[in-house]
């Protein structure tokens, strides 16, 4: 589209589409020209959704640029988590980490994986829910997908697991049932093999906000099960090794 990009207009449109549980095609949007514009729109969408939790997802663009978005709605399974179901909702089993120390932006020598691990105070089993207001998600315009909070539409934090899980997750038996049917049964597999790859990339991103990756932040690290569409509401039950997480997705 040729219209001038306005982050406020984009954020308002994404917000209204999400509120209505609707999707529109990429070519109906005025697109951000760069990551700065995409993040500007994302921040406005975050404000419109009144998101204040310090919980984030991290991934990388097709060009290798690390990006984040807030997780919302965010719930802890121990409190009886219930996430809204919408047509097209997808599910991912993930590992989340909480930082016990700061990882400030720094120039010069990049953070090593070991330094990132040292900053982690706790590791959890979690589940991300995804549905984008953009029909093609990020496959046509990744920057538009960044503006739409990377498609996040919910996160459930499950039980704390051993910190060593960040090193040993790959290949761990993973079984997921939804509404009584098995939707995944196989080894846990992260797209990059190492669950901390994208977090390390983001730690070493010189243009990330100065306030990012501070102690207390929770970061989810990417799917272990692929993205699986949930065709109806129902209970989700996850077993990763000996760790167990249950919650429900239901119609509003």
């Amino acid at each position: 589209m040729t219209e001038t990009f306005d982050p406020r207009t984009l954020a308002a449109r994404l917000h209204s589409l999400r509120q209505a549980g609707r999707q529109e095609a990429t070519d109906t949007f005025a697109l951000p020209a760069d990551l700065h514009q995409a993040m500007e729109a994302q921040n406005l969408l975050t404000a419109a959704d009144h998101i204040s939790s310090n919980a984030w997802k991290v991934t990388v663009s097709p060009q290798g640029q690390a990006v984040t978005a807030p997780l919302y709605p965010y719930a802890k399974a121990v409190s009886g988590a219930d996430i809204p179901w919408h047509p097209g909702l997808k599910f991912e089993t993930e590992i989340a980490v909480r930082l016990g120390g700061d990882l400030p932006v720094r120039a010069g020598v990049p953070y090593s994986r070991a330094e990132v691990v040292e900053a982690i105070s706790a590791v959890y089993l979690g589940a991300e829910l995804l549905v984008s207001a953009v029909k093609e998600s990020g496959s046509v315009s990744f920057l538009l997908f960044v503006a739409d909070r990377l498609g996040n539409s919910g996160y459930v934090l499950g039980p704390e697991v051993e910190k060593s899980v960040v090193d040993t997750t790959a290949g761990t038996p993973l079984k997921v049932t939804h509404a009584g049917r098995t939707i995944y049964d196989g080894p846990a597999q992260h797209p990059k093999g190492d669950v901390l790859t994208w977090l390390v990339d983001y730690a070493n991103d010189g243009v990330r906000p100065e306030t990012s990756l501070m102690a207390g932040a929770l970061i989810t690290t990417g799917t272990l099960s692929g993205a699986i569409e949930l065709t109806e509401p129902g209970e989700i039950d996850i077993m990763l090794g000996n760790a167990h997480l249950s919650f429900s997705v239901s119609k509003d």
Side-chain angles (χ1 to χ4, degrees):
M1 294 185 73
T2 55
E3 66 193 79
T4 305
F5 177 77
D6 177 5
R8 292 187 180 279
T9 301
L10 176 57
R13 185 166 174 209
L14 291 171
H15 180 68
S16 64
L17 287 170
R18 280 175 166 267
Q19 293 290 102
R22 292 176 47 230
Q23 296 179 308
E24 297 285 356
T26 300
D27 63 11
T28 68
F29 292 89
L31 302 179
D34 54 32
L35 184 61
H36 174 76
Q37 288 188 346
M39 288 303 300
E40 200 175 353
Q42 186 197 106
N43 291 337
L44 290 163
L45 176 60
T46 297
D49 284 331
H50 304 292
I51 300 171
S52 59
S53 72
N54 193 14
W56 308 86
K57 67 179 291 183
V58 60
T59 187
V60 292
S61 74
Q63 292 75 36
Q65 172 68 49
V67 289
T68 60
L71 299 172
Y72 179 82
Y74 170 76
K76 295 181 180 178
V78 291
S79 57
D82 195 350
I83 298 290
W85 178 86
H86 300 287
L89 185 71
K90 292 181 180 177
F91 154 90
E92 296 180 350
T93 302
E94 304 197 353
I95 292 295
V97 301
R98 190 174 301 282
L99 297 182
D102 298 343
L103 290 170
V105 177
R106 76 181 188 192
V109 181
Y111 285 104
S112 66
R113 186 185 188 279
E115 286 177 296
V116 172
V117 170
E118 190 177 342
I120 293 170
S121 60
V123 179
Y124 304 85
L125 174 61
E128 184 182 3
L129 289 310
L130 300 129
V131 63
S132 178
V134 183
K135 195 167 286 182
E136 302 88 355
S137 297
S139 62
V140 177
S141 170
F142 188 79
L143 290 173
L144 180 60
F145 192 54
V146 170
D148 191 33
R149 294 201 291 106
L150 295 170
N152 176 260
S153 64
Y155 195 82
V156 179
L157 187 69
E160 186 172 348
V161 296
E162 293 291 328
K163 187 173 175 178
S164 60
V165 163
V166 297
D167 300 319
T168 62
T169 302
T172 302
L174 172 61
K175 183 173 183 178
V176 184
T177 60
H178 169 241
R181 296 192 315 276
T182 299
I183 58 172
Y184 187 91
D185 190 0
Q189 301 178 78
H190 188 274
K192 292 296 180 182
D194 178 3
V195 298
L196 294 184
T197 296
W198 292 333
L199 177 54
V200 174
D201 288 346
Y202 188 62
N204 289 316
D205 176 18
V207 299
R208 64 180 168 94
E210 291 288 339
T211 54
S212 59
L213 299 185
M214 296 287 104
L218 183 91
I219 302 102
T220 195
T221 58
T223 185
L224 303 175
S225 58
I228 304 166
E229 186 167 348
L230 304 178
T231 55
E232 61 180 331
E235 281 283 322
I236 297 266
D237 198 74
I238 305 167
M239 283 294 303
L240 176 66
N242 295 320
H244 178 233
L245 169 56
S246 288
F247 64 98
S248 59
V249 289
S250 57
K251 286 187 175 179
D252 287 342

